[in-house]
Amino acid sequence: TLFLCEQYDACAALVETALNGDVSASPSLLALCYISLGYLKKAKAFIERFLKKLVASDGSNFRLEAELKLALAECILEQHEAGEYNVAEQHVIKAIQLEHSGRSNEELPDNFENMAPENRLSCIHDLTISPIILRALCVLGTLYVAQKSYDSAERYMKQTLEIISGFYGKNAAVGMTGDTYQSLGFLYGKREKYDLAIEWYRKALDFYYGLPVSINKAVLLNKLGEAFKAMGNLPEAKQHYCQCMEFVKNYELSCKSKDLFMAITDSLMGLANIAYETKEFTLAETYFYDAAGYCNRIPEGGAKHLKAGALHNLGVVRKELRKYPEAVKALTTSQSIYQKHDD
């Protein structure tokens, strides 16, 4: 219940207590809490440690191992380490294999893990669908966007929606329905098909507005702002960025989430860039300063590049305002972040 209400810190504390007391609890749920909070290194270490325990035991809990493999793949994707994307794909494939290892009436081809994405999708289509398979399709779709395999990503996402509609009905797979709408918007944004991106983002937003709470509302309002800005429609972009900030203002005190903090940081950056373009330098200074501050709320340096960019732009704006000592300070801090991370 806490997880569904997006109270990830409270949920994590509760599951940690249960696991420490040897009570039957879900380690995969704890991993997802860590990921949602932005504790990606902690999540990855926890999952890998628990997987070793499973292997050392009788190894018969295929469902739990599959859930943890999927969580590990999602963790890698959140870290945006391009060199690890193939590893993430193998974790998802292994999760699918584990899910079907106990089904004597269904067999996966021996070369399943080496298949091209399109051929693998055909095999998955013929399997009995379960929540784990559906989630695996979602993760693979997101992975292929990250790898810039946009055609494959689109096929996987649309297959996910077809399965949800045919087997579950959209209300029975709430998270995956909304997430897939959102992922399609992100995909079309990456392909610079902004009209389609806006269409899918709005579809996702309409879907989530039917729910009592959802961080995705803030994420989608920010994404709509980005799409409109890319099209040059600054008034619409500004309106959606402001709506994102208003939503977060009413919501953030009850929720700690990496995605929530990223959404408002990106919206502040968008508003700052619009203000800079329209030569409203004092307003731009405020927005860039606030954006840099929000970056500090994202754990494990997860927004280090965003913070460096915000501080660089802050320095440029302060130069326009002839605040030279403050400009030098912001630019020097930005440079030190880039140097620390070898950029």
Side-chain angles (χ1 to χ4, degrees), residues 6 26 48 80 85 126 189 243 320 341:
E6 298 176 345
S26 174
E48 289 174 343
H80 304 293
Y85 288 155
D126 294 333
Q243 286 177 349
E320 293 284 354
H341 299 284

Side-chain angles (χ1 to χ4, degrees), residues 251-298:
Y251 191 52
E252 66 171 321
L253 293 177
S254 65
C255 177
K256 293 180 181 178
S257 164
K258 172 178 171 284
D259 289 344
L260 191 69
F261 296 144
M262 284 295 294
I264 193 168
T265 302
D266 287 340
S267 286
L268 285 165
M269 289 289 286
L271 286 167
N273 285 318
I274 291 171
Y276 182 81
E277 289 174 26
T278 55
K279 299 189 183 302
E280 298 173 89
F281 298 128
T282 301
L283 190 58
E285 180 187 22
T286 300
Y287 286 139
F288 280 132
Y289 180 84
D290 289 346
Y294 260 95
C295 289
N296 294 328
R297 302 179 70 172
I298 299 167

Side-chain angles (χ1 to χ4, degrees), residues 67-85:
E67 289 177 354
L68 288 169
K69 287 284 186 183
L70 284 176
L72 189 54
E74 290 176 274
C75 188
I76 292 170
L77 282 172
E78 286 289 331
Q79 289 178 310
H80 304 293
E81 298 288 347
E84 295 291 311
Y85 288 155

